Amino acid sequence: FFAVSDCQRTVREIAEAIVQAMGGVVKSIEWPSDRLAIEIGDVIVSNEKIGQALGWRPQWSLEDGLEATHRYYTECLNAYLN
Protein backbone atom coordinates (compact mmCIF):
# COMPACT_ATOMS: atom_id res chain seq x y z
CA PHE A 1 0.00 0.00 0.00
CA PHE A 2 1.04 3.60 -0.56
CA ALA A 3 -0.35 6.19 1.84
CA VAL A 4 0.13 9.12 -0.51
CA SER A 5 -1.71 12.16 -1.77
CA ASP A 6 -4.17 12.17 -4.63
CA CYS A 7 -1.93 14.77 -6.29
CA GLN A 8 1.21 13.64 -8.11
CA ARG A 9 4.25 15.90 -7.58
CA THR A 10 7.68 16.12 -9.13
CA VAL A 11 10.74 16.12 -6.89
CA ARG A 12 11.21 19.79 -7.75
CA GLU A 13 7.61 20.61 -6.78
CA ILE A 14 8.09 18.85 -3.44
CA ALA A 15 11.36 20.71 -2.86
CA GLU A 16 9.68 24.03 -3.69
CA ALA A 17 6.83 23.25 -1.26
CA ILE A 18 9.39 22.50 1.48
CA VAL A 19 11.17 25.79 0.80
CA GLN A 20 7.87 27.66 0.84
CA ALA A 21 6.96 26.20 4.25
CA MET A 22 10.37 26.21 5.90
CA GLY A 23 12.54 28.66 4.04
CA GLY A 24 15.61 28.21 1.92
CA VAL A 25 16.31 28.01 -1.78
CA VAL A 26 15.91 25.23 -4.33
CA LYS A 27 19.08 24.90 -6.37
CA SER A 28 19.11 22.75 -9.49
CA ILE A 29 22.34 21.06 -10.47
CA GLU A 30 23.12 18.84 -13.41
CA TRP A 31 22.90 15.13 -12.66
CA PRO A 32 26.45 13.71 -12.64
CA SER A 33 27.12 11.62 -15.75
CA ASP A 34 28.79 8.88 -13.68
CA ARG A 35 25.51 8.49 -11.75
CA LEU A 36 23.17 8.07 -14.73
CA ALA A 37 22.98 4.32 -14.14
CA ILE A 38 21.27 4.90 -10.77
CA GLU A 39 18.77 7.51 -11.99
CA ILE A 40 15.37 5.91 -11.40
CA GLY A 41 13.38 8.21 -13.65
CA ASP A 42 9.76 9.02 -12.99
CA VAL A 43 7.66 7.13 -10.47
CA ILE A 44 3.92 7.42 -10.14
CA VAL A 45 2.32 5.91 -7.05
CA SER A 46 -1.35 5.58 -6.23
CA ASN A 47 -3.35 5.43 -3.03
CA GLU A 48 -6.17 3.56 -4.78
CA LYS A 49 -5.34 0.15 -3.27
CA ILE A 50 -5.12 1.37 0.34
CA GLY A 51 -8.30 3.36 -0.23
CA GLN A 52 -10.17 0.29 -1.44
CA ALA A 53 -8.82 -2.06 1.24
CA LEU A 54 -8.93 0.22 4.28
CA GLY A 55 -10.99 3.22 3.26
CA TRP A 56 -7.92 5.41 3.76
CA ARG A 57 -7.94 8.91 2.28
CA PRO A 58 -5.36 11.67 2.70
CA GLN A 59 -6.45 14.21 5.29
CA TRP A 60 -3.68 16.77 4.78
CA SER A 61 -2.41 18.51 1.69
CA LEU A 62 1.35 18.52 1.20
CA GLU A 63 1.48 22.23 1.98
CA ASP A 64 -0.61 21.93 5.16
CA GLY A 65 1.42 18.94 6.35
CA LEU A 66 4.72 20.76 5.79
CA GLU A 67 3.47 23.86 7.58
CA ALA A 68 2.25 21.79 10.55
CA THR A 69 5.58 19.93 10.66
CA HIS A 70 7.48 23.20 10.61
CA ARG A 71 5.36 24.66 13.42
CA TYR A 72 5.77 21.51 15.52
CA TYR A 73 9.55 21.39 15.23
CA THR A 74 9.87 25.14 15.70
CA GLU A 75 8.03 24.79 19.00
CA CYS A 76 9.59 21.48 20.13
CA LEU A 77 13.09 21.44 18.64
CA ASN A 78 14.85 22.12 21.94
CA ALA A 79 13.25 19.03 23.47
CA TYR A 80 14.83 16.93 20.72
CA LEU A 81 18.24 18.60 20.96
CA ASN A 82 18.61 18.65 24.75
Side-chain angles (χ1 to χ4, degrees):
F1 295 132
F2 290 102
V4 297
S5 171
D6 291 325
C7 179
Q8 301 297 320
R9 309 276 183 134
T10 66
V11 172
R12 179 162 187 99
E13 290 169 337
I14 294 169
E16 289 171 346
I18 292 168
V19 165
Q20 181 69 31
M22 302 187 190
V25 176
V26 175
K27 180 181 175 184
S28 295
I29 59 171
E30 191 171 327
W31 191 260
S33 59
D34 63 330
R35 303 282 193 227
L36 289 177
I38 62 170
E39 169 56 38
I40 61 167
D42 295 334
V43 175
I44 297 175
V45 294
S46 170
N47 63 20
E48 184 177 350
K49 191 173 183 179
I50 195 171
Q52 290 173 348
L54 303 176
W56 184 89
R57 301 293 313 148
Q59 296 180 355
W60 294 71
S61 69
L62 174 63
E63 293 79 9
D64 290 344
L66 288 170
E67 289 174 16
T69 300
H70 185 249
R71 276 193 311 276
Y72 174 83
Y73 282 105
T74 298
E75 295 170 7
C76 299
L77 186 59
N78 285 332
Y80 286 94
L81 298 177
N82 296 321

